[in-house]
Amino acid sequence: MKRQLLKIDHLKKIQNAIFAMTLTGDCSEISAPGQFINIKLDGFYLRRPISIYSFGPDFLTIIFKVVGEGTKALAEMQRGEFLDVLMPLGNGFDTTKGGKQPLLVGGGIGVPPLYGLAENLVDRGIIPQVVTGFNGRDDIILTKEFQVLGIEPVITTVDGSAGIKGFVTDAMQAMTFDYVYTCGPEPMLKAVYDAAPDGQFSFEARMACGFGACMGCTCETKYGYKRICKDGPVLYK
């Protein structure tokens, strides 16, 4: 883990209240899709943890949703400004365990880290199936980006305004797969686990330090208490 300054190279609104931001600098220590960064913002006591969407040796891209004053301030920053970032944090996805037919399941803002996972798998010659779930048509993100990788995501919406009406688990019922990778809100993760317990589950949690010292993001699991920032965010057997 390093504390460093990364420069804002690009910032774009991609959907209702959802933004993509590309940062440049030394990103060579990022080792796996599913890791995250913790961003310090002027005027705010706690850093903001954001999942990494895509990365290379000298850049990373995050996709975040404005849900409060902190992420609002982040969305209002300008190209050329610098961010104080702790990175890389957490354990990402282990791509060696997914077999030949992995299924990627994402809900809402939990979809972006699965894109980096899909990139990794495609680079290894594995084309995963992808299911993405949203509240409605106006929340859908990254469909074209998955298509560029040669993946046609199955889209579900709660209100039925696009794709399959219902939840990601409704789409999963008609699919054949060896293993599941998933990221999203906890109710969705529980439902996916009930449908397919063999997999890796990336959790969302409120965090303070981001590296396991404060214990603020500790949660109880069937395998004992886990710190989502340090033991996760990706948890599996």
Side-chain angles (χ1 to χ4, degrees), residues 96-110:
T96 67
K97 296 181 178 294
K100 295 182 179 180
Q101 295 187 82
L103 173 64
L104 281 52
V105 182
I109 205 65

Side-chain angles (χ1 to χ4, degrees), residues 5-224:
L5 295 179
L6 297 181
K7 184 178 180 180
I8 299 175
D9 182 70
H10 184 73
L11 176 61
K12 179 182 179 181
K13 185 177 181 179
I14 62 171
Q15 189 52 283
N16 291 339
I18 299 176
F19 292 79
M21 176 184 284
T22 298
L23 305 171
T24 58
D26 181 9
C27 300
S28 59
E29 291 193 15
I30 302 173
S31 60
Q35 291 182 298
F36 68 97
I37 63 176
N38 214 9
I39 302 171
K40 178 176 174 57
L41 296 168
D42 291 341
F44 295 88
Y45 179 69
L46 295 178
R47 291 175 178 264
R48 264 53 182 182
I50 308 287
S51 296
I52 298 169
Y53 161 67
S54 185
F55 62 91
D58 58 359
F59 82 94
L60 65 84
T61 300
I62 57 174
I63 293 179
F64 62 94
K65 185 174 184 178
V66 174
V67 294
E69 292 302 315
T71 44
K72 179 182 177 183
L74 185 62
E76 292 173 348
M77 296 191 72
Q78 301 297 315
R79 182 179 181 185
E81 292 189 86
F82 286 84
L83 286 173
D84 180 326
V85 175
L86 292 179
M87 60 171 283
L89 298 174
N91 296 306
F93 294 104
D94 184 344
T95 59
T96 67
K97 296 181 178 294
K100 295 182 179 180
Q101 295 187 82
L103 173 64
L104 281 52
V105 182
I109 205 65
V111 174
L114 294 179
Y115 174 82
L117 173 60
E119 279 189 312
N120 186 291
L121 292 169
V122 170
D123 286 345
R124 296 175 52 230
I126 299 171
I127 307 297
Q129 298 178 88
V130 174
V131 175
T132 57
F134 306 95
N135 286 326
R137 178 185 297 275
D138 292 340
D139 301 306
I140 296 172
I141 56 173
L142 303 183
T143 300
K144 292 182 180 179
E145 287 77 5
F146 280 113
Q147 290 171 339
V148 169
L149 296 178
I151 300 166
E152 190 63 48
V154 177
I155 297 170
T156 67
T157 54
V158 175
D159 65 5
S161 55
I164 297 171
K165 182 177 181 179
F167 302 101
V168 292
T169 46
D170 295 315
M172 290 173 62
Q173 293 176 5
M175 306 179 80
T176 300
F177 51 91
D178 297 328
Y179 196 82
V180 66
Y181 295 95
T182 183
C183 182
E186 190 169 325
M188 188 203 83
L189 296 183
K190 289 180 178 178
V192 172
Y193 181 83
D194 289 339
D198 191 14
Q200 297 177 34
F201 297 76
S202 182
F203 284 77
E204 301 170 352
R206 291 185 177 274
M207 297 180 186
C209 71
F211 49 85
C214 72
M215 311 296 285
C217 62
T218 301
C219 71
E220 186 177 5
T221 75
K222 64 187 296 184
Y223 304 105

